[in-house]
Amino acid sequence: MATHRAFNRERTKRQENPDLGLCDGVVSTRILQALYTAAAEYDALGVPYVAIGGIAVGAYGAPRATKDVDFLVGEEAFEHHGPLVSFRPGLPIQSGGVGIDPVSIGLGEDFLLETFDHPAVSRGVPVIGLPPLIYLKLRAGRHQDLADVTRLLEAGIDERPVRQYLRKHASDLISKLERCRQEEP
């Protein structure tokens, strides 16, 4: 029988705005440098982007080690050649031996375009908002993604905007959010 995990919201200050400084000492300096270098390259190319993945999870209060840098990128990151799609020349896919993963917005996910409009910026890098970050993690549904959601819940995030976002854009994922809340340590 699964027990409910006790969430101590007093233990940690709620992390409403991302702070990449929370990744210092947990995420390797090499990975963080790749983040900043790739962000500068996206800026130079005029490609809309926001940091996602493990680094964004860390910026919201649940830092963990990661081996790559993930960005949600706009359509400007790609070139279309009939039915073939390729990365735009100069788009960073690695920096200093660290993989840079540009993730495109999927079909039916046009609502994610709003993440580029007014992202929170930490240390000069736009970071995805917490509700769309959790949406992406739940949608991916891999073990690490669900563990990230659980760790964010444990960190004391405000679930209200997350639930509102999911109800509006992907109500089928609310049950996954509930399962993350019930995970045992």
Side-chain angles (χ1 to χ4, degrees), residues 56-116:
V57 169
Y60 281 106
R64 65 168 172 84
T66 185
K67 295 179 181 179
D68 63 4
V69 177
D70 302 310
F71 291 104
L72 182 67
V73 296
E75 188 61 30
E76 297 84 346
F78 306 97
E79 288 189 350
H80 296 268
H81 314 278
L84 300 176
V85 178
S86 64
F87 290 126
R88 181 174 165 188
L91 191 79
I93 55 172
Q94 74 85 31
S95 177
V98 174
I100 307 296
D101 294 330
V103 177
S104 64
I105 292 175
L107 291 174
E109 294 180 323
D110 290 344
F111 57 89
L112 287 173
L113 289 170
E114 66 191 36
T115 63
F116 302 129

Side-chain angles (χ1 to χ4, degrees), residues 15-33:
Q15 192 63 33
E16 294 178 11
N17 294 310
D19 178 3
L20 289 169
L22 297 173
C23 296
D24 292 345
V26 178
V27 176
S28 83
T29 304
R30 189 171 72 102
I31 300 292
L32 292 173
Q33 185 56 51

